[in-house]
Each structure stands twice: as structure tokens, then as C-alpha cells.
Amino acid sequence: MKHLVLGLVAILMMTAAHAEPTATGDLGLVIERAKGSVLLVDQSDRAALARIEGLGDLSHASLVYSPDQRFAYVFGRDGGLTKVDIVTRQIANRVVQSGNAIGGAISDDGTLVAVSNYEPGGVRVFDADTLDLVADIPTGGKTIGLVDAPGRRFVFTMWDSGETWIADFTAGKPEITKITDMGKNPYDALITANGRTYITGLFGEDGLTALDLWGDRQEPIRVLPGYGRGQEEMPVYKMPHLEGWALTGREFVLPAVGHHEILWIDADTLVETGRTQTHGQPVFAMARPDGRQVWVNFAHPLNDTIQVIDSVSKKVIHEFKPGPAVLHMEFTPRGHEVWISVRDANKVMIYDTQSFEKLREIDADSPSGIFFTARAHRTGL
């Protein structure tokens, strides 16, 4: 019997040794907003691998990855926080933590997941392993622009009060720093890859507001105040996403609110360096990873079009129409391809970023956000 048991153990060990490992670095998830599901995709094969269902309301959803790229934390509009295991291709855990959520972030050490909420407002922070509640931070209103910052910190802003808070979890219990006078009705925010500059876009007034998180004291810095002054105001069909900002060399590229243009800003001085007129109101202005190109999509009713802008000349060099309702773009980590969700065609379309040739289409049910696992190693994503 002893020899039989040892033999079985040896066989199992040999089988495990020869089992094909699962690599996650080439994978990604596509939000299927109408079905409450995510589609697991492979970049190199340009193929869908599996559909994972049961994630609730994904009509406005985003996600972040664990440092090992195995788990995705999906933030649903219904307040659901879902932990997805992309190796086993199933839901690992799920909690409904509020009535209406608007995105989230994961701490730099991968141990905490934070969610910002419209209803009841505030930020709730969870253990990344168990999804147990770690902290509940009420803010008294709608909370937007939640990002991770170095040093186990989260930064977020309030729509109603125009305040930005920094929650520092270094000591376990959060220490809160409050910065007032960020501007009227901040609607979204971004943080630079080095974790230094936090920028909020303002809906209630023209311009943006920045914070230098490396400073001894965080004081609001006004950026492009009144940039639309003297221009005819337009109805805003869809708020642009500052998560879709671009950094090209030494310049930020940001979508303008209510105008058919993108804005170029010196990353060191935060002074305007140029504007590029665009096909419509930009939603995402995203830089190819090398920074040489900026790809822009647009709000309804002009959302069938993408323009590609050269970051040296600041001119449009290519324009094409992938199909109805282009919602999101995601570059492969080195930028040789871009994946584009075309919601009303029920397709994800893949293009070569040098030749602009379409390489493949993948069927997806009302696709929106596309998230590759390389995001696990980038601040603010």
C-alpha cells in the first residue's frame, strides 16, 4: 500500500510538472455592458477565450488588476464590486457595497481596493483578498476622480463641495487631508504615472485644477482658467474622461469640455501650448505608449469616428469610422496595436497603429471598456 501511495504521488507530481502554465501578461477583459459580463481576450491570438457572467449593472464600469495580474476588481454602476479570477475564468467573490458607484482603485501594494460612490456618496475601502470592509469614508456627496497614489494613498474629489481628499493608509487607519477650493463641480480626475500631479476637470467652470502631491502642502493650481471664454457654448453630450488623457513627451493632452478640440499643456509649467480642432466633442484622448500619436474618439452624435493626431505637428494625420458608438480604446503595452470597442456593431476591432490596417474583429455583446493586464503595473490605472 505504501508503494502504491508513493507511486500515485509521483504520478501526480509528474502530471503537475508537465501541466501547461497559465500566463496572464497577454490577457485582458472587455466589459459587455448590456449583459453584465466580461469577455476574456488574448492579445497575441487576437481572440476571445471565455465569457464570465453575473457581474450586475456594467452600464458604467471599470476595473483594476492585482499586482500578479490574476485578479480583476470590477466596479459596477449598481455598487457591485466583483473579484474575477482570470486564471480559473470565474467570479472569486462579489459584494454590493452601495447603491450607485462610479469607479475605483487599488493601492500600490495591492492589498486595498477602494470604491467611489454617488449613492450614498463617499469612498469604501476593502481588503483585496477577502473583500471585507476596511474603511468607510463618508464625504457628504457624490465622489469622483478616485485614483491610487504612491505610499498606500487614495486621492478623490467631491462633485458638490469642490474638495479633494487624500486618504493615507500607511498606518492602517486612514489619515485624511482635505484640500478646498478645487473649483466648481469637478467631474473627473487623473494622476500622472509618477504619482506627482493630480488634475481635476471642472464642469461648473472653464479650466482644470492641479495638485502637486510632492509638495509639503497641497495647494490648488489653476490650469487654463477660462479656456473657452469668447467661444460659443455648446451642449455637452457626454462628459470627457480624464482617465483617457495623454502624456506625449513633455505635454499633457486633455479633452475640452463642450468644445470640438483637445488642449495641449506643458507638463512642467501647466501652461497651454496649443489646441487641435477635432471632429466632435472628444471623450478619450489617448496616447500611444511611445507618445508619438494621440487617438481621439467623440461624443454622440459623432461617435462613429476616430481621429489620430501627430504629437509633434499637433495635426490630424488620419481619420476613419470603425462603426456606430465607438466607446473605448486600449493600446497593447508597446503600442503596435489598438483595440477599439464599437458598441452598436457588437464588435471589438483591432488595428495596426502604423499602417492603420484593420487586423481582426472579435464578437462582443455591447462592448465598452477594454482593460489589458499590463495596467496592473501602472499608477492611476
Side-chain angles (χ1 to χ4, degrees), residues 13 23 28 103 151 156 282 307 321:
M13 291 179 65
F156 46 92
Q307 288 184 317
K321 297 181 183 298

PDB file of all heavy atoms in Angstrom, residues 13 23 28 103 151 156 282 307 321:
ATOM      1  N   MET A  13       2.768  14.353  -9.210  1.00  0.00           N
ATOM      2  CA  MET A  13       3.816  15.372  -9.294  1.00  0.00           C
ATOM      3  C   MET A  13       4.316  15.511 -10.722  1.00  0.00           C
ATOM      4  O   MET A  13       4.565  16.618 -11.207  1.00  0.00           O
ATOM      5  CB  MET A  13       4.972  15.004  -8.354  1.00  0.00           C
ATOM      6  CG  MET A  13       4.610  15.114  -6.875  1.00  0.00           C
ATOM      7  SD  MET A  13       5.990  14.647  -5.797  1.00  0.00           S
ATOM      8  CE  MET A  13       7.184  15.935  -6.188  1.00  0.00           C
ATOM      9  N   ALA A  23      -0.325  31.844 -18.292  1.00  0.00           N
ATOM     10  CA  ALA A  23       0.313  33.160 -18.267  1.00  0.00           C
ATOM     11  C   ALA A  23      -0.764  34.230 -18.394  1.00  0.00           C
ATOM     12  O   ALA A  23      -1.704  34.097 -19.178  1.00  0.00           O
ATOM     13  CB  ALA A  23       1.312  33.272 -19.409  1.00  0.00           C
ATOM     14  N   GLY A  28      -6.583  40.165 -21.231  1.00  0.00           N
ATOM     15  CA  GLY A  28      -7.324  41.377 -20.909  1.00  0.00           C
ATOM     16  C   GLY A  28      -8.796  41.049 -20.771  1.00  0.00           C
ATOM     17  O   GLY A  28      -9.240  39.943 -21.084  1.00  0.00           O
ATOM     18  N   GLY A 103     -16.582  53.893 -10.020  1.00  0.00           N
ATOM     19  CA  GLY A 103     -15.189  53.544 -10.287  1.00  0.00           C
ATOM     20  C   GLY A 103     -14.413  53.267  -9.017  1.00  0.00           C
ATOM     21  O   GLY A 103     -14.920  53.407  -7.897  1.00  0.00           O
ATOM     22  N   GLY A 151       2.532  55.237  -1.758  1.00  0.00           N
ATOM     23  CA  GLY A 151       2.511  55.332  -0.308  1.00  0.00           C
ATOM     24  C   GLY A 151       1.196  54.922   0.311  1.00  0.00           C
ATOM     25  O   GLY A 151       0.792  55.462   1.345  1.00  0.00           O
ATOM     26  N   PHE A 156      -9.260  61.529  -4.030  1.00  0.00           N
ATOM     27  CA  PHE A 156     -10.591  61.590  -4.640  1.00  0.00           C
ATOM     28  C   PHE A 156     -11.186  62.976  -4.410  1.00  0.00           C
ATOM     29  O   PHE A 156     -10.723  63.753  -3.562  1.00  0.00           O
ATOM     30  CB  PHE A 156     -11.515  60.498  -4.085  1.00  0.00           C
ATOM     31  CG  PHE A 156     -11.494  60.358  -2.590  1.00  0.00           C
ATOM     32  CD1 PHE A 156     -12.397  61.044  -1.788  1.00  0.00           C
ATOM     33  CD2 PHE A 156     -10.567  59.524  -1.972  1.00  0.00           C
ATOM     34  CE1 PHE A 156     -12.379  60.920  -0.411  1.00  0.00           C
ATOM     35  CE2 PHE A 156     -10.537  59.392  -0.585  1.00  0.00           C
ATOM     36  CZ  PHE A 156     -11.442  60.089   0.208  1.00  0.00           C
ATOM     37  N   PRO A 282     -14.511  65.623 -27.877  1.00  0.00           N
ATOM     38  CA  PRO A 282     -13.710  64.444 -27.540  1.00  0.00           C
ATOM     39  C   PRO A 282     -14.140  63.810 -26.225  1.00  0.00           C
ATOM     40  O   PRO A 282     -14.522  64.510 -25.276  1.00  0.00           O
ATOM     41  CB  PRO A 282     -12.291  64.990 -27.451  1.00  0.00           C
ATOM     42  CG  PRO A 282     -12.455  66.442 -27.162  1.00  0.00           C
ATOM     43  CD  PRO A 282     -13.729  66.864 -27.818  1.00  0.00           C
ATOM     44  N   GLN A 307     -10.086  60.014 -34.740  1.00  0.00           N
ATOM     45  CA  GLN A 307      -9.028  60.796 -35.367  1.00  0.00           C
ATOM     46  C   GLN A 307      -7.698  60.477 -34.683  1.00  0.00           C
ATOM     47  O   GLN A 307      -7.652  60.286 -33.463  1.00  0.00           O
ATOM     48  CB  GLN A 307      -9.320  62.299 -35.265  1.00  0.00           C
ATOM     49  CG  GLN A 307     -10.451  62.758 -36.185  1.00  0.00           C
ATOM     50  CD  GLN A 307     -10.664  64.263 -36.137  1.00  0.00           C
ATOM     51  OE1 GLN A 307     -10.642  64.868 -35.078  1.00  0.00           O
ATOM     52  NE2 GLN A 307     -10.878  64.864 -37.302  1.00  0.00           N
ATOM     53  N   LYS A 321     -13.784  55.613 -39.668  1.00  0.00           N
ATOM     54  CA  LYS A 321     -15.052  55.339 -38.999  1.00  0.00           C
ATOM     55  C   LYS A 321     -15.176  53.831 -38.747  1.00  0.00           C
ATOM     56  O   LYS A 321     -15.646  53.098 -39.607  1.00  0.00           O
ATOM     57  CB  LYS A 321     -16.216  55.836 -39.855  1.00  0.00           C
ATOM     58  CG  LYS A 321     -16.208  57.350 -40.080  1.00  0.00           C
ATOM     59  CD  LYS A 321     -17.407  57.799 -40.909  1.00  0.00           C
ATOM     60  CE  LYS A 321     -17.358  59.281 -41.199  1.00  0.00           C
ATOM     61  NZ  LYS A 321     -17.415  60.112 -39.969  1.00  0.00           N
TER      62      LYS A 321
END
